[in-house]
Amino acid sequence: MLPLLVANWKMHKTKADALAFIDELRRLWPDRPGCEGAIAPPFTALDAVGGALRGTAIALAAQNVHWEEEGAFTGEVAARFLADLGCRYVIVGHSERRSQWGETDEQIARKLQTVLAHGMAPVWCIGESLREREAGRVLEVVGRQLAAGLGAVTPARMPPGRRGPELPLVIAYEPVWAIGTGRIAEPKQVQEVHAAVRQWLRDRLGGAADGVRLLYGGSVTPENVAAMAAQPDVNGALVGGASLDAKQFVLLAQRIARGGASS
Ligand code: 13P
């Protein structure tokens, strides 16, 4: 399956900064990268970045979404607005949204459902805190987060991908203690969690589970990404800090493609 590299720019880059990045990326992005790339800019640059990516194989992604179709929800953005701008992916349930805005598993399930209903692929974030890891509760926490979204991701809601065997569902395992800390999880630890997630998906989705891409996120850099991508159940990465520079983003893609190929 084609690995996926998603740049989560978080609250970085003006429209002009974003366009300068895409300009450089268009020059550097290889013809056959062996990896799909996607950029999630802030909402203010989404339209401009979408326009600048037109004609490339790099996808547009959004960082968040509201579950309602429209209405009196000041400051929120509906899924159909994102689909209208050509988004292929939407990040859902990022740990920063869970911890700083109190997003619940129930709200996340509604977001997953809305994103799928509008023909986009959620990048569904899950992961444990340091305290939960130290208490040996990783699989319990991740299992609970997954179970809460279960109803939203039935095979009936996921028509086969238009571009290949990949299902329009991506799960990103991001241990909270590894995000923005420079402290990356061990590839073996990550594989253990991903294998458990894959098994969980097989129990519920059957063979379709093998078309779900499982990304790792948390302090990913060009230096550490290949070892991660070489794990059998790691199908790409969700990257914050290291995705802000176009040269680094291209290096990440090349090394993910190589890591994936050697597994
Ligand atoms: P960093 O790559 O900066 O650790 O951020 C990870 C992340 O939260 C991506 O969504």
Side-chain angles (χ1 to χ4, degrees), residues 6-10 91 94-96 123 125 172 174-176 178-183 216-221 237-244:
V6 182
N8 176 9
W9 284 354
K10 308 190 179 183
I91 298 171
H94 192 279
S95 71
E96 287 153 15
V123 178
C125 301
E174 297 204 310
V176 177
I179 295 177
T181 57
R183 185 175 165 196
Y216 168 77
S219 295
V220 170
T221 65
L238 176 58
V239 185
S243 76
L244 294 169

PDB file of all heavy atoms in Angstrom, residues 6-10 91 94-96 123 125 172 174-176 178-183 216-221 237-244, ligand 1:
ATOM      1  N   VAL A   6       1.740  13.177   5.941  1.00  0.00           N
ATOM      2  CA  VAL A   6       0.873  14.349   6.116  1.00  0.00           C
ATOM      3  C   VAL A   6       1.627  15.411   6.911  1.00  0.00           C
ATOM      4  O   VAL A   6       2.155  15.133   7.995  1.00  0.00           O
ATOM      5  CB  VAL A   6      -0.433  13.987   6.866  1.00  0.00           C
ATOM      6  CG1 VAL A   6      -1.332  15.222   6.994  1.00  0.00           C
ATOM      7  CG2 VAL A   6      -1.176  12.871   6.149  1.00  0.00           C
ATOM      8  N   ALA A   7       1.683  16.631   6.355  1.00  0.00           N
ATOM      9  CA  ALA A   7       2.265  17.779   7.060  1.00  0.00           C
ATOM     10  C   ALA A   7       1.156  18.462   7.847  1.00  0.00           C
ATOM     11  O   ALA A   7       0.199  18.960   7.253  1.00  0.00           O
ATOM     12  CB  ALA A   7       2.861  18.757   6.048  1.00  0.00           C
ATOM     13  N   ASN A   8       1.287  18.459   9.169  1.00  0.00           N
ATOM     14  CA  ASN A   8       0.336  19.209   9.995  1.00  0.00           C
ATOM     15  C   ASN A   8       1.036  20.487  10.424  1.00  0.00           C
ATOM     16  O   ASN A   8       1.869  20.474  11.334  1.00  0.00           O
ATOM     17  CB  ASN A   8      -0.062  18.367  11.226  1.00  0.00           C
ATOM     18  CG  ASN A   8      -0.971  19.143  12.164  1.00  0.00           C
ATOM     19  OD1 ASN A   8      -1.445  20.231  11.831  1.00  0.00           O
ATOM     20  ND2 ASN A   8      -1.221  18.591  13.340  1.00  0.00           N
ATOM     21  N   TRP A   9       0.702  21.574   9.750  1.00  0.00           N
ATOM     22  CA  TRP A   9       1.393  22.840  10.017  1.00  0.00           C
ATOM     23  C   TRP A   9       0.918  23.506  11.311  1.00  0.00           C
ATOM     24  O   TRP A   9       1.486  24.500  11.727  1.00  0.00           O
ATOM     25  CB  TRP A   9       1.212  23.791   8.844  1.00  0.00           C
ATOM     26  CG  TRP A   9       2.074  23.453   7.667  1.00  0.00           C
ATOM     27  CD1 TRP A   9       3.041  22.486   7.593  1.00  0.00           C
ATOM     28  CD2 TRP A   9       2.059  24.095   6.388  1.00  0.00           C
ATOM     29  NE1 TRP A   9       3.626  22.493   6.350  1.00  0.00           N
ATOM     30  CE2 TRP A   9       3.039  23.463   5.586  1.00  0.00           C
ATOM     31  CE3 TRP A   9       1.311  25.131   5.819  1.00  0.00           C
ATOM     32  CZ2 TRP A   9       3.296  23.854   4.278  1.00  0.00           C
ATOM     33  CZ3 TRP A   9       1.558  25.526   4.509  1.00  0.00           C
ATOM     34  CH2 TRP A   9       2.540  24.879   3.740  1.00  0.00           C
ATOM     35  N   LYS A  10      -0.161  22.987  11.900  1.00  0.00           N
ATOM     36  CA  LYS A  10      -0.710  23.586  13.127  1.00  0.00           C
ATOM     37  C   LYS A  10      -0.902  25.097  12.898  1.00  0.00           C
ATOM     38  O   LYS A  10      -1.309  25.494  11.818  1.00  0.00           O
ATOM     39  CB  LYS A  10       0.195  23.250  14.315  1.00  0.00           C
ATOM     40  CG  LYS A  10       0.465  21.732  14.412  1.00  0.00           C
ATOM     41  CD  LYS A  10       1.148  21.312  15.676  1.00  0.00           C
ATOM     42  CE  LYS A  10       1.331  19.798  15.674  1.00  0.00           C
ATOM     43  NZ  LYS A  10       1.937  19.277  16.889  1.00  0.00           N
ATOM     44  N   ILE A  91      -7.788  16.077   9.358  1.00  0.00           N
ATOM     45  CA  ILE A  91      -7.283  15.581  10.647  1.00  0.00           C
ATOM     46  C   ILE A  91      -8.416  15.691  11.669  1.00  0.00           C
ATOM     47  O   ILE A  91      -9.061  16.733  11.786  1.00  0.00           O
ATOM     48  CB  ILE A  91      -6.054  16.405  11.099  1.00  0.00           C
ATOM     49  CG1 ILE A  91      -4.908  16.252  10.091  1.00  0.00           C
ATOM     50  CG2 ILE A  91      -5.608  15.985  12.505  1.00  0.00           C
ATOM     51  CD1 ILE A  91      -3.720  17.186  10.335  1.00  0.00           C
ATOM     52  N   HIS A  94      -7.079  15.419  16.937  1.00  0.00           N
ATOM     53  CA  HIS A  94      -5.678  15.623  17.328  1.00  0.00           C
ATOM     54  C   HIS A  94      -5.597  15.831  18.841  1.00  0.00           C
ATOM     55  O   HIS A  94      -6.478  16.445  19.431  1.00  0.00           O
ATOM     56  CB  HIS A  94      -5.090  16.826  16.589  1.00  0.00           C
ATOM     57  CG  HIS A  94      -3.605  16.906  16.726  1.00  0.00           C
ATOM     58  ND1 HIS A  94      -2.994  17.426  17.842  1.00  0.00           N
ATOM     59  CD2 HIS A  94      -2.598  16.496  15.905  1.00  0.00           C
ATOM     60  CE1 HIS A  94      -1.678  17.336  17.698  1.00  0.00           C
ATOM     61  NE2 HIS A  94      -1.415  16.781  16.528  1.00  0.00           N
ATOM     62  N   SER A  95      -4.526  15.352  19.464  1.00  0.00           N
ATOM     63  CA  SER A  95      -4.441  15.426  20.938  1.00  0.00           C
ATOM     64  C   SER A  95      -4.440  16.866  21.432  1.00  0.00           C
ATOM     65  O   SER A  95      -4.864  17.132  22.552  1.00  0.00           O
ATOM     66  CB  SER A  95      -3.209  14.684  21.444  1.00  0.00           C
ATOM     67  OG  SER A  95      -2.054  15.405  21.114  1.00  0.00           O
ATOM     68  N   GLU A  96      -3.955  17.809  20.597  1.00  0.00           N
ATOM     69  CA  GLU A  96      -4.014  19.218  21.030  1.00  0.00           C
ATOM     70  C   GLU A  96      -5.456  19.697  21.118  1.00  0.00           C
ATOM     71  O   GLU A  96      -5.814  20.509  21.961  1.00  0.00           O
ATOM     72  CB  GLU A  96      -3.172  20.087  20.076  1.00  0.00           C
ATOM     73  CG  GLU A  96      -1.682  19.864  20.310  1.00  0.00           C
ATOM     74  CD  GLU A  96      -0.791  20.107  19.104  1.00  0.00           C
ATOM     75  OE1 GLU A  96      -1.254  20.719  18.125  1.00  0.00           O
ATOM     76  OE2 GLU A  96       0.375  19.664  19.159  1.00  0.00           O
ATOM     77  N   VAL A 123      -8.094  11.655   8.995  1.00  0.00           N
ATOM     78  CA  VAL A 123      -6.830  11.213   9.592  1.00  0.00           C
ATOM     79  C   VAL A 123      -7.112  11.254  11.091  1.00  0.00           C
ATOM     80  O   VAL A 123      -7.026  12.284  11.737  1.00  0.00           O
ATOM     81  CB  VAL A 123      -5.655  12.142   9.208  1.00  0.00           C
ATOM     82  CG1 VAL A 123      -4.362  11.679   9.880  1.00  0.00           C
ATOM     83  CG2 VAL A 123      -5.481  12.193   7.692  1.00  0.00           C
ATOM     84  N   CYS A 125      -6.761  10.744  14.851  1.00  0.00           N
ATOM     85  CA  CYS A 125      -5.613  10.687  15.778  1.00  0.00           C
ATOM     86  C   CYS A 125      -5.992  10.010  17.085  1.00  0.00           C
ATOM     87  O   CYS A 125      -7.012  10.336  17.700  1.00  0.00           O
ATOM     88  CB  CYS A 125      -5.104  12.089  16.088  1.00  0.00           C
ATOM     89  SG  CYS A 125      -4.574  12.985  14.627  1.00  0.00           S
ATOM     90  N   ALA A 172      -3.872   7.828  12.779  1.00  0.00           N
ATOM     91  CA  ALA A 172      -2.534   8.289  13.174  1.00  0.00           C
ATOM     92  C   ALA A 172      -2.342   8.035  14.654  1.00  0.00           C
ATOM     93  O   ALA A 172      -3.070   8.593  15.482  1.00  0.00           O
ATOM     94  CB  ALA A 172      -2.365   9.770  12.859  1.00  0.00           C
ATOM     95  N   GLU A 174      -0.407   8.855  17.683  1.00  0.00           N
ATOM     96  CA  GLU A 174       0.496   9.900  18.157  1.00  0.00           C
ATOM     97  C   GLU A 174       0.542   9.858  19.688  1.00  0.00           C
ATOM     98  O   GLU A 174      -0.335  10.436  20.343  1.00  0.00           O
ATOM     99  CB  GLU A 174      -0.002  11.286  17.721  1.00  0.00           C
ATOM    100  CG  GLU A 174      -0.047  11.490  16.226  1.00  0.00           C
ATOM    101  CD  GLU A 174       0.033  12.971  15.845  1.00  0.00           C
ATOM    102  OE1 GLU A 174      -0.723  13.787  16.396  1.00  0.00           O
ATOM    103  OE2 GLU A 174       0.873  13.293  15.002  1.00  0.00           O
ATOM    104  N   PRO A 175       1.562   9.198  20.255  1.00  0.00           N
ATOM    105  CA  PRO A 175       1.657   9.226  21.718  1.00  0.00           C
ATOM    106  C   PRO A 175       1.851  10.678  22.159  1.00  0.00           C
ATOM    107  O   PRO A 175       2.726  11.376  21.636  1.00  0.00           O
ATOM    108  CB  PRO A 175       2.899   8.381  22.016  1.00  0.00           C
ATOM    109  CG  PRO A 175       3.435   7.882  20.716  1.00  0.00           C
ATOM    110  CD  PRO A 175       2.681   8.515  19.610  1.00  0.00           C
ATOM    111  N   VAL A 176       1.022  11.137  23.089  1.00  0.00           N
ATOM    112  CA  VAL A 176       1.014  12.564  23.449  1.00  0.00           C
ATOM    113  C   VAL A 176       2.394  13.015  23.933  1.00  0.00           C
ATOM    114  O   VAL A 176       2.846  14.123  23.610  1.00  0.00           O
ATOM    115  CB  VAL A 176      -0.062  12.829  24.530  1.00  0.00           C
ATOM    116  CG1 VAL A 176      -0.043  14.274  24.977  1.00  0.00           C
ATOM    117  CG2 VAL A 176      -1.443  12.458  23.998  1.00  0.00           C
ATOM    118  N   ALA A 178       5.196  12.225  22.900  1.00  0.00           N
ATOM    119  CA  ALA A 178       6.197  12.313  21.827  1.00  0.00           C
ATOM    120  C   ALA A 178       5.958  13.526  20.925  1.00  0.00           C
ATOM    121  O   ALA A 178       6.771  13.818  20.051  1.00  0.00           O
ATOM    122  CB  ALA A 178       6.176  11.035  20.993  1.00  0.00           C
ATOM    123  N   ILE A 179       4.850  14.250  21.148  1.00  0.00           N
ATOM    124  CA  ILE A 179       4.502  15.351  20.244  1.00  0.00           C
ATOM    125  C   ILE A 179       5.261  16.613  20.624  1.00  0.00           C
ATOM    126  O   ILE A 179       5.118  17.125  21.733  1.00  0.00           O
ATOM    127  CB  ILE A 179       2.980  15.612  20.261  1.00  0.00           C
ATOM    128  CG1 ILE A 179       2.243  14.398  19.697  1.00  0.00           C
ATOM    129  CG2 ILE A 179       2.643  16.865  19.473  1.00  0.00           C
ATOM    130  CD1 ILE A 179       0.730  14.514  19.742  1.00  0.00           C
ATOM    131  N   GLY A 180       6.099  17.084  19.701  1.00  0.00           N
ATOM    132  CA  GLY A 180       6.814  18.351  19.897  1.00  0.00           C
ATOM    133  C   GLY A 180       7.843  18.310  21.015  1.00  0.00           C
ATOM    134  O   GLY A 180       8.313  19.344  21.477  1.00  0.00           O
ATOM    135  N   THR A 181       8.221  17.108  21.452  1.00  0.00           N
ATOM    136  CA  THR A 181       9.130  16.993  22.599  1.00  0.00           C
ATOM    137  C   THR A 181      10.527  16.555  22.194  1.00  0.00           C
ATOM    138  O   THR A 181      11.446  16.605  23.000  1.00  0.00           O
ATOM    139  CB  THR A 181       8.605  15.941  23.593  1.00  0.00           C
ATOM    140  OG1 THR A 181       8.470  14.694  22.888  1.00  0.00           O
ATOM    141  CG2 THR A 181       7.265  16.344  24.181  1.00  0.00           C
ATOM    142  N   GLY A 182      10.686  16.103  20.967  1.00  0.00           N
ATOM    143  CA  GLY A 182      11.976  15.557  20.551  1.00  0.00           C
ATOM    144  C   GLY A 182      12.170  14.140  21.073  1.00  0.00           C
ATOM    145  O   GLY A 182      13.209  13.517  20.850  1.00  0.00           O
ATOM    146  N   ARG A 183      11.177  13.631  21.786  1.00  0.00           N
ATOM    147  CA  ARG A 183      11.291  12.291  22.362  1.00  0.00           C
ATOM    148  C   ARG A 183      10.437  11.337  21.533  1.00  0.00           C
ATOM    149  O   ARG A 183       9.224  11.274  21.700  1.00  0.00           O
ATOM    150  CB  ARG A 183      10.772  12.365  23.799  1.00  0.00           C
ATOM    151  CG  ARG A 183      10.938  11.083  24.532  1.00  0.00           C
ATOM    152  CD  ARG A 183      10.521  11.228  25.975  1.00  0.00           C
ATOM    153  NE  ARG A 183      10.372   9.891  26.532  1.00  0.00           N
ATOM    154  CZ  ARG A 183       9.744   9.623  27.653  1.00  0.00           C
ATOM    155  NH1 ARG A 183       9.195  10.596  28.343  1.00  0.00           N
ATOM    156  NH2 ARG A 183       9.651   8.394  28.090  1.00  0.00           N
ATOM    157  N   TYR A 216       2.393   6.988  11.990  1.00  0.00           N
ATOM    158  CA  TYR A 216       2.956   7.339  13.298  1.00  0.00           C
ATOM    159  C   TYR A 216       3.182   8.857  13.322  1.00  0.00           C
ATOM    160  O   TYR A 216       3.577   9.456  12.308  1.00  0.00           O
ATOM    161  CB  TYR A 216       4.300   6.624  13.550  1.00  0.00           C
ATOM    162  CG  TYR A 216       4.982   7.240  14.749  1.00  0.00           C
ATOM    163  CD1 TYR A 216       4.552   6.928  16.041  1.00  0.00           C
ATOM    164  CD2 TYR A 216       5.984   8.214  14.606  1.00  0.00           C
ATOM    165  CE1 TYR A 216       5.102   7.549  17.148  1.00  0.00           C
ATOM    166  CE2 TYR A 216       6.541   8.827  15.712  1.00  0.00           C
ATOM    167  CZ  TYR A 216       6.084   8.502  16.981  1.00  0.00           C
ATOM    168  OH  TYR A 216       6.612   9.129  18.079  1.00  0.00           O
ATOM    169  N   GLY A 217       2.961   9.483  14.479  1.00  0.00           N
ATOM    170  CA  GLY A 217       3.258  10.911  14.639  1.00  0.00           C
ATOM    171  C   GLY A 217       3.854  11.188  15.995  1.00  0.00           C
ATOM    172  O   GLY A 217       3.489  10.542  16.996  1.00  0.00           O
ATOM    173  N   GLY A 218       4.752  12.182  16.050  1.00  0.00           N
ATOM    174  CA  GLY A 218       5.380  12.574  17.316  1.00  0.00           C
ATOM    175  C   GLY A 218       6.886  12.653  17.160  1.00  0.00           C
ATOM    176  O   GLY A 218       7.561  11.630  17.130  1.00  0.00           O
ATOM    177  N   SER A 219       7.404  13.909  16.982  1.00  0.00           N
ATOM    178  CA  SER A 219       8.852  14.150  16.873  1.00  0.00           C
ATOM    179  C   SER A 219       9.510  13.393  15.717  1.00  0.00           C
ATOM    180  O   SER A 219      10.658  12.961  15.814  1.00  0.00           O
ATOM    181  CB  SER A 219       9.555  13.826  18.193  1.00  0.00           C
ATOM    182  OG  SER A 219       9.124  14.718  19.204  1.00  0.00           O
ATOM    183  N   VAL A 220       8.761  13.243  14.608  1.00  0.00           N
ATOM    184  CA  VAL A 220       9.331  12.603  13.418  1.00  0.00           C
ATOM    185  C   VAL A 220      10.263  13.591  12.717  1.00  0.00           C
ATOM    186  O   VAL A 220       9.942  14.769  12.561  1.00  0.00           O
ATOM    187  CB  VAL A 220       8.211  12.164  12.439  1.00  0.00           C
ATOM    188  CG1 VAL A 220       8.797  11.714  11.104  1.00  0.00           C
ATOM    189  CG2 VAL A 220       7.381  11.045  13.054  1.00  0.00           C
ATOM    190  N   THR A 221      11.435  13.109  12.315  1.00  0.00           N
ATOM    191  CA  THR A 221      12.392  13.911  11.541  1.00  0.00           C
ATOM    192  C   THR A 221      12.923  13.053  10.394  1.00  0.00           C
ATOM    193  O   THR A 221      12.753  11.822  10.411  1.00  0.00           O
ATOM    194  CB  THR A 221      13.608  14.325  12.409  1.00  0.00           C
ATOM    195  OG1 THR A 221      14.317  13.126  12.765  1.00  0.00           O
ATOM    196  CG2 THR A 221      13.201  15.086  13.664  1.00  0.00           C
ATOM    197  N   ALA A 237       3.552   8.799   8.007  1.00  0.00           N
ATOM    198  CA  ALA A 237       3.765   9.645   9.187  1.00  0.00           C
ATOM    199  C   ALA A 237       2.923  10.911   9.122  1.00  0.00           C
ATOM    200  O   ALA A 237       2.613  11.422   8.037  1.00  0.00           O
ATOM    201  CB  ALA A 237       5.246  10.005   9.295  1.00  0.00           C
ATOM    202  N   LEU A 238       2.575  11.390  10.321  1.00  0.00           N
ATOM    203  CA  LEU A 238       1.908  12.688  10.486  1.00  0.00           C
ATOM    204  C   LEU A 238       2.924  13.567  11.204  1.00  0.00           C
ATOM    205  O   LEU A 238       3.327  13.256  12.327  1.00  0.00           O
ATOM    206  CB  LEU A 238       0.628  12.506  11.323  1.00  0.00           C
ATOM    207  CG  LEU A 238      -0.156  13.762  11.696  1.00  0.00           C
ATOM    208  CD1 LEU A 238      -0.582  14.546  10.457  1.00  0.00           C
ATOM    209  CD2 LEU A 238      -1.410  13.373  12.504  1.00  0.00           C
ATOM    210  N   VAL A 239       3.353  14.639  10.534  1.00  0.00           N
ATOM    211  CA  VAL A 239       4.530  15.374  11.007  1.00  0.00           C
ATOM    212  C   VAL A 239       4.199  16.837  11.267  1.00  0.00           C
ATOM    213  O   VAL A 239       3.588  17.510  10.420  1.00  0.00           O
ATOM    214  CB  VAL A 239       5.665  15.268   9.956  1.00  0.00           C
ATOM    215  CG1 VAL A 239       6.931  15.932  10.496  1.00  0.00           C
ATOM    216  CG2 VAL A 239       5.947  13.810   9.618  1.00  0.00           C
ATOM    217  N   GLY A 240       4.611  17.332  12.432  1.00  0.00           N
ATOM    218  CA  GLY A 240       4.434  18.742  12.764  1.00  0.00           C
ATOM    219  C   GLY A 240       5.680  19.529  12.396  1.00  0.00           C
ATOM    220  O   GLY A 240       5.899  19.889  11.238  1.00  0.00           O
ATOM    221  N   GLY A 241       6.540  19.780  13.384  1.00  0.00           N
ATOM    222  CA  GLY A 241       7.708  20.658  13.230  1.00  0.00           C
ATOM    223  C   GLY A 241       8.537  20.436  11.969  1.00  0.00           C
ATOM    224  O   GLY A 241       8.842  21.396  11.242  1.00  0.00           O
ATOM    225  N   ALA A 242       8.887  19.192  11.686  1.00  0.00           N
ATOM    226  CA  ALA A 242       9.786  18.926  10.553  1.00  0.00           C
ATOM    227  C   ALA A 242       9.095  19.097   9.201  1.00  0.00           C
ATOM    228  O   ALA A 242       9.751  19.051   8.159  1.00  0.00           O
ATOM    229  CB  ALA A 242      10.365  17.518  10.663  1.00  0.00           C
ATOM    230  N   SER A 243       7.782  19.330   9.213  1.00  0.00           N
ATOM    231  CA  SER A 243       7.075  19.483   7.931  1.00  0.00           C
ATOM    232  C   SER A 243       7.015  20.948   7.495  1.00  0.00           C
ATOM    233  O   SER A 243       6.467  21.263   6.437  1.00  0.00           O
ATOM    234  CB  SER A 243       5.644  18.940   8.035  1.00  0.00           C
ATOM    235  OG  SER A 243       4.806  19.847   8.745  1.00  0.00           O
ATOM    236  N   LEU A 244       7.580  21.839   8.285  1.00  0.00           N
ATOM    237  CA  LEU A 244       7.450  23.271   7.979  1.00  0.00           C
ATOM    238  C   LEU A 244       8.472  23.735   6.942  1.00  0.00           C
ATOM    239  O   LEU A 244       8.382  24.855   6.438  1.00  0.00           O
ATOM    240  CB  LEU A 244       7.604  24.101   9.269  1.00  0.00           C
ATOM    241  CG  LEU A 244       6.487  23.897  10.296  1.00  0.00           C
ATOM    242  CD1 LEU A 244       6.855  24.531  11.636  1.00  0.00           C
ATOM    243  CD2 LEU A 244       5.170  24.477   9.774  1.00  0.00           C
TER     244      LEU A 244
HETATM  245  P1  13P B   1       5.764  17.122  15.933  1.00  0.00           P
HETATM  246  O1  13P B   1       6.176  16.408  14.674  1.00  0.00           O
HETATM  247  O2  13P B   1       6.148  18.577  15.929  1.00  0.00           O
HETATM  248  O3  13P B   1       6.207  16.383  17.163  1.00  0.00           O
HETATM  249  O4  13P B   1       4.157  17.119  15.957  1.00  0.00           O
HETATM  250  C1  13P B   1       3.500  15.919  15.800  1.00  0.00           C
HETATM  251  C2  13P B   1       2.060  16.179  15.568  1.00  0.00           C
HETATM  252  O5  13P B   1       1.336  16.541  16.480  1.00  0.00           O
HETATM  253  C3  13P B   1       1.544  16.017  14.209  1.00  0.00           C
HETATM  254  O6  13P B   1       0.157  16.055  14.195  1.00  0.00           O
END
